């Protein structure tokens, strides 16, 4: 790992009292530990939502929040556009906030885009992991912000870090992609040392999905690429055709991988057979939002302003909903869909796409984090907002 001086600024630190997380937090109640919910990036929340939500609290950040918050260990984590990673209680109170101090000697302080946390956080066990725009992956103690390790991935990181665990292996590997060359790094969570690195592919702007024994990701070379999660060995790739670049996350369900492409196509691929199961060119613009995948439906979003619900078996459109602006990665919660479009948060019925509820929360908002009957978003005007059911008055 290339040596480099990192100086962290830690503010508003509070004392403990927050419980440690179990394994990957996927079975806990207050749990949305990663962008799009789980290691598979399935976009399915283990909770139901009421038909109407209300604001439970608004936390003023002071900078825009465009990437999805995450939740776990009785905490909420988010990265703001000022490059700070912050942690809140479930009641919206700050626990701590951390940024990377600019290095004036190297000249990076002159570059307003240099040395910032930029990727959605990952919360796993008692650790929060996020990446910087100059290619470092950083792991911190979740309750205090104390740095555990730093790992140089590449020139930059764009997508979320994810995790892999092998049967009988208690150690946890963190997988993350180097944006410019598409190399996937697997890093030991406990030590911060490399377990394996994959061969170079092409520029990769999205996030890897993780299956039972594989990692799959899309890239600018118009293909999905599969690796073994134990050693990073290349299992194969699936070509997605002309203008089939993938710049979003790849959702996994069983042995199938689901992704949207530059030309508005949603594709389903069989990872082990390395074949296309079906494709459907549903949108008139990029469909880079990570699809949400249930047992019988695939819900995708597009820059054309529509939410598309497809039959998982054959990819045919079941319904579409005009949200009016770019649609970010949707989330399925019980019989409903939660989705951000421009500055509006929508709840739709999964069955037919009819609108249940909506609220204008800003000019632009992040994709939602959904857990425990709550929805958390960030806004471009510098707020993190939690929505939930109105309290019962007795």
């Amino acid at each position: 790992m290339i040596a480099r001086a990192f100086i962290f600024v830690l503010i508003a630190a509070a004392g403990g009292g927050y419980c440690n997380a179990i394994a990957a937090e996927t079975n806990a109640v207050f749990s949305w530990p990663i962008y799009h919910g789980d290691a598979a990036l399935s976009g399915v929340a283990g909770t139901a939502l009421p038909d109407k939500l209300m604001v439970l609290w608004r936390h003023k950040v002071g900078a825009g929040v465009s990437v999805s918050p995450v939740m776990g260990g009785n905490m909420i984590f988010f990265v703001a556009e000022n490059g700070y990673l912050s942690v809140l209680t479930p009641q919206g109170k700050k626990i701590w906030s951390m940024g990377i101090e600019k290095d004036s000697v190297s000249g990076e302080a002159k570059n307003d885009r240099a040395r910032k946390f930029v990727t959605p956080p990952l919360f796993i066990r008692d650790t929060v992991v996020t990446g910087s725009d100059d290619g470092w992956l950083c792991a911190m103690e979740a309750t205090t912000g104390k740095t555990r390790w730093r790992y140089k991935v590449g020139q930059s990181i764009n997508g979320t870090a994810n995790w892999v665990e092998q049967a009988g292996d208690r150690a946890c590997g963190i997988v993350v992609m180097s944006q410019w060359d598409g190399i996937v790094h697997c890093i030991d969570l406990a030590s911060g040392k490399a377990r394996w690195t994959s061969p170079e592919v092409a520029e990769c702007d999205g996030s890897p999905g993780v299956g039972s024994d594989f990692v799959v990701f899309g890239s600018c070379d118009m293909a999905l690429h599969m690796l073994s999660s134990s050693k990073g060995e290349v299992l194969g790739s699936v070509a997605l055709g002309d203008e089939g670049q993938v710049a979003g996350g790849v959702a996994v369900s069983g042995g199938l991988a689901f992704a949207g492409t530059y030309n508005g196509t949603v594709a389903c691929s069989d990872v082990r057979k390395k074949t296309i199961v079906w494709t459907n060119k549903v949108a008139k613009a990029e469909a880079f939002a990570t699809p949400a995948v249930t047992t019988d439906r695939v819900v995708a979003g597009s820059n054309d302003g529509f939410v598309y619900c497809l039959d998982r078996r054959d990819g045919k459109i079941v319904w579409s909903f005009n949200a009016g602006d770019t649609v970010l990665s949707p989330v399925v919660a019980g019989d409903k869909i939660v989705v951000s479009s421009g500055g509006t948060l929508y709840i739709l019925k999964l069955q037919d796409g009819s609108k249940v509820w909506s609220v204008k929360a800003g000019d632009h908002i992040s994709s939602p984090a959904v857990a425990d009957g709550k929805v958390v978003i960030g806004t471009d005007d510098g707020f993190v907002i939690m929505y939930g059911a109105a309290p019962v008055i007795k």
Side-chain angles (χ1 to χ4, degrees):
M1 183 167 62
I2 301 173
R4 187 163 181 174
F6 258 78
I7 305 173
F8 291 104
V9 180
L10 182 65
I11 61 176
Y18 299 96
C19 60
N20 289 336
I22 59 169
E25 274 289 305
T26 51
N27 296 318
V29 174
F30 191 71
S31 178
W32 190 262
I34 185 174
Y35 158 78
H36 230 224
D38 55 20
L41 303 186
S42 69
V44 177
T47 188
L49 292 174
D51 288 346
K52 185 177 181 180
L53 302 178
M54 66 171 290
V55 174
L56 300 182
W57 50 257
R58 293 164 60 92
H59 175 83
K60 187 173 182 179
V61 179
V65 180
S66 60
V67 297
S68 176
V70 303
M71 298 183 278
N74 213 28
M75 292 171 282
I76 298 166
F77 306 85
F78 66 92
V79 168
E81 291 175 7
N82 61 3
Y84 275 69
L85 169 67
S86 299
V87 186
L88 307 177
T89 70
Q91 294 75 38
K93 305 298 182 182
K94 182 186 287 187
I95 302 173
W96 56 263
S97 185
M98 173 183 288
I100 305 172
E101 185 176 289
K102 304 293 179 65
D103 184 354
S104 58
V105 176
S106 69
E108 286 186 336
K110 298 177 181 179
N111 183 350
D112 196 39
R113 286 288 301 162
R115 317 269 320 257
K116 296 181 179 180
F117 292 128
V118 293
T119 70
L122 164 67
F123 173 73
I124 184 162
R125 296 180 178 167
D126 59 351
T127 304
V128 58
V129 181
T130 190
S132 69
D133 58 350
D134 60 348
W136 287 85
L137 193 70
C138 306
M140 284 78 72
E141 185 177 276
T143 55
T144 67
K146 180 181 178 181
T147 300
R148 289 188 162 156
W149 51 259
R150 300 179 296 275
Y151 179 96
K152 183 64 172 176
V153 174
Q155 292 185 47
S156 63
I157 306 171
N158 192 61
T160 187
N162 205 333
W163 77 83
V164 294
E165 288 197 68
Q166 302 300 316
D169 181 4
R170 293 184 179 181
C172 177
I174 303 299
V175 287
V176 64
M177 293 197 313
S178 170
Q179 182 183 12
W180 290 107
D181 52 24
I183 295 175
V184 178
H185 297 253
C186 183
I187 306 149
D188 185 79
L189 175 63
S191 68
K193 305 296 183 182
R195 286 189 173 189
W196 52 257
T197 57
S198 70
E200 180 176 335
V201 176
E203 181 178 346
C204 297
D205 296 328
S207 302
V210 174
S212 59
D213 57 359
F214 62 86
V215 177
V216 57
F217 61 96
S219 70
C220 289
D221 67 351
M222 298 175 287
L224 293 179
H225 302 277
M226 299 84 166
L227 307 171
S228 72
S229 56
S230 59
K231 297 181 180 179
E233 298 168 330
V234 176
L235 301 178
S237 61
V238 178
L240 297 176
D242 189 38
E243 297 188 326
Q245 296 94 331
V246 176
V250 179
V252 173
S253 181
L256 301 178
F258 302 82
T261 71
Y262 175 79
N263 68 2
T265 295
V266 178
C268 172
S269 301
D270 189 305
V271 172
R272 291 179 172 82
K273 294 180 180 179
K274 294 177 280 295
T275 58
I276 295 289
V277 178
W278 53 256
T279 62
N280 190 345
K281 192 177 184 306
V282 297
K284 297 179 180 179
E286 298 95 329
F288 287 151
T290 307
V293 182
T294 73
T295 56
D296 60 352
R297 294 288 182 263
V298 178
V299 185
S302 170
N303 287 13
D304 68 2
F306 279 81
V307 182
Y308 296 95
C309 182
L310 312 180
D311 190 311
R312 173 171 161 156
R313 296 169 300 178
D314 54 20
K316 292 181 179 179
I317 295 178
V318 178
W319 54 258
S320 62
F321 173 82
N322 186 359
D325 205 335
T326 297
V327 176
L328 303 183
S329 303
V331 173
V332 174
D335 61 352
K336 298 180 179 68
I337 295 167
V338 188
V339 66
S340 300
S341 173
T344 302
L345 182 68
Y346 289 95
I347 294 181
L348 311 176
K349 288 184 179 179
L350 177 59
Q351 181 179 5
D352 59 14
S354 57
K355 186 176 79 171
V356 177
W357 174 86
S358 67
V359 65
K360 179 75 169 177
D363 289 333
H364 296 282
I365 62 176
S366 74
S367 57
V370 183
D372 193 28
K374 314 292 194 306
V375 177
V376 179
I377 60 165
T379 73
D380 62 330
D381 57 351
F383 287 90
V384 172
I385 306 173
M386 176 180 277
Y387 296 90
V392 177
I393 300 176
K394 297 182 180 179

